[in-house]
Amino acid sequence: MSKRGNWNSRIGFILAASGSAVGLGNIWRFPYTAGKNGGAAFLLIYLAAILVIALPVLLAEAALGRATGRNPVGAFKAIAPRGLWKGVGYLGVATGFMILSYYAVIAGWTLGYFVKAVRGEFSRLAAAGTDAATASRQAFESFGASPWLQISLLVVFLGLTVFVVSRGVSGGIERWSKLLMPMLLGLLFLLMIRSLTLDGAARGLEFYLKPDFSAIRPSVIIAAMGQAFFSLSLGMGTMITYGSYVEKGENLPASAGWIAFCDTLIAVMAGFIIFPAVFSQGMNPAEGPGLVFNILPVIFAKIPLGQLFGALFFLLLAIAALTSTISVLEVPVAYFIDERSWPRRKAAWIVGGICLVMGVPAALSQGSVGFLSELPLVKMDFLSLWDLIWGNLSLSIGALFIALFVGWVWKSGNALLEITRGSERFRLAFFWVIAIRYVAPALILVILLSKIL
Ligand code: PHE
């Protein structure tokens, strides 16, 4: 176990797992997904999904990881050596490849926007006067449609990720999270104040907080549940892997609670930044993956020291994205280390290289290549399609099987033994057992089927 590495400090797991959870999922994906799915109604279902489904699964993954001390494939094998269950681990490893390949494209955007901010490009939007929003959208469109720029940013971001992961678990991952997350939180708070005081912010608040229940369709519920898994890094074994580096003395339920709290807080705050600004500028909340990159520069153009704050923000966002991409890459890497005895560096570089090749279509799908930007039949761009298949459906299916496995195969009683190591008084044990055995699997299944039926 010690050869695989452990977190250094007692709160190492909370820090690293929150670093994994908090990322583009909160600040880029949550607002645009909420915007496309009716705003307040989505928020409500999202919060419910976190509490009732995602939080129990988070605890299950962490316990499974700590008990077995393995990567996802090894963890399933350790408990059920025969049979198909290890397939859930393989699905997780595959999902890791796929998510990293397009997530790193968006992460590359944060680097590109950091450079734009440093160069003072946002303040020039203000010169466009009332039409700053249109100017910002045009700038994003030409940014997305520059093939070499998109691919270069992808290369740089994947390179950073591989570099950190190749140096190992605690040294690489833990150190980053400690100082930077509180800074990001502070900056988000500042942006929230500015956005809420813009003219016309109230309409955005209404969209975000006043639910229109008639807007709730199966696709909205699927999107909200998938967002809950994506945001908490669940369903592909990230938390199994990170759990495998946790000391036995650490209190898992308390850690899980903190991780979910921080992650949800940051997503909800992002909504309070994006929607007031979007409505005050007359933009469309349902415009898709570009939403946040269109509106944030407009906000920076409207605050004092916007150039400085803009640069700082995109830098912190890039780092938040990095602590997430690290955790995605760590899943396949831990698999190759544990199960195939590869050295860590080899695993990191090879997986990173494959993700680079697979990331190219996503990088070219924002206007560079017409076919990829509007795929026939599905009528969406390649990146959005990948995000739907891997970032939503695959994670939901993975979470379903993890819940079933922990509740029924490993058995919730054994899981509880692991959970209560370091937290002898786990008061919610009864509720957790009900959630992991019955509520979570049944809801995930019904929600996934609701679309087909
Ligand atoms: N949770 C990360 C985010 O919100 C993304 C992620 C998904 C990380 C799945 C690991 C696994 O940005």
Side-chain angles (χ1 to χ4, degrees), residues 28 33 52 93 114 135 148 185 191 222 274 303 308 316 340 364 437-438:
W28 158 74
T33 311
V52 180
V93 172
F114 166 69
W148 290 112
L185 199 67
L191 290 177
I222 292 179
I274 301 302
I303 57 175
L308 177 73
L316 288 171
R340 304 278 157 127
L364 298 181
R437 284 173 72 107
Y438 306 102

Side-chain angles (χ1 to χ4, degrees), residues 433-445:
V433 171
I434 302 288
I436 209 69
R437 284 173 72 107
Y438 306 102
V439 180
L443 282 178
I444 301 173
L445 198 65

Side-chain angles (χ1 to χ4, degrees), residues 101-102 358-366 371-375 380-388:
S101 72
Y102 74 84
M358 294 193 316
V360 169
L364 298 181
S365 73
Q366 301 299 304
F371 167 74
L372 293 169
S373 310
E374 174 81 31
L375 293 168
M380 48 171 114
D381 63 284
F382 184 86
L383 194 153
S384 302
L385 179 67
W386 245 215
D387 191 33
L388 175 68

Side-chain angles (χ1 to χ4, degrees), residues 291-332:
L291 181 69
V292 172
F293 289 86
N294 285 334
I295 193 64
L296 281 172
V298 181
I299 307 179
F300 289 118
K302 287 181 189 293
I303 57 175
L305 298 179
Q307 187 169 352
L308 177 73
F309 283 128
L312 194 60
F313 177 82
F314 281 108
L315 184 65
L316 288 171
L317 186 55
I319 293 167
L322 184 61
T323 54
S324 299
T325 51
I326 287 167
S327 74
V328 183
L329 179 56
E330 185 63 23
V331 172

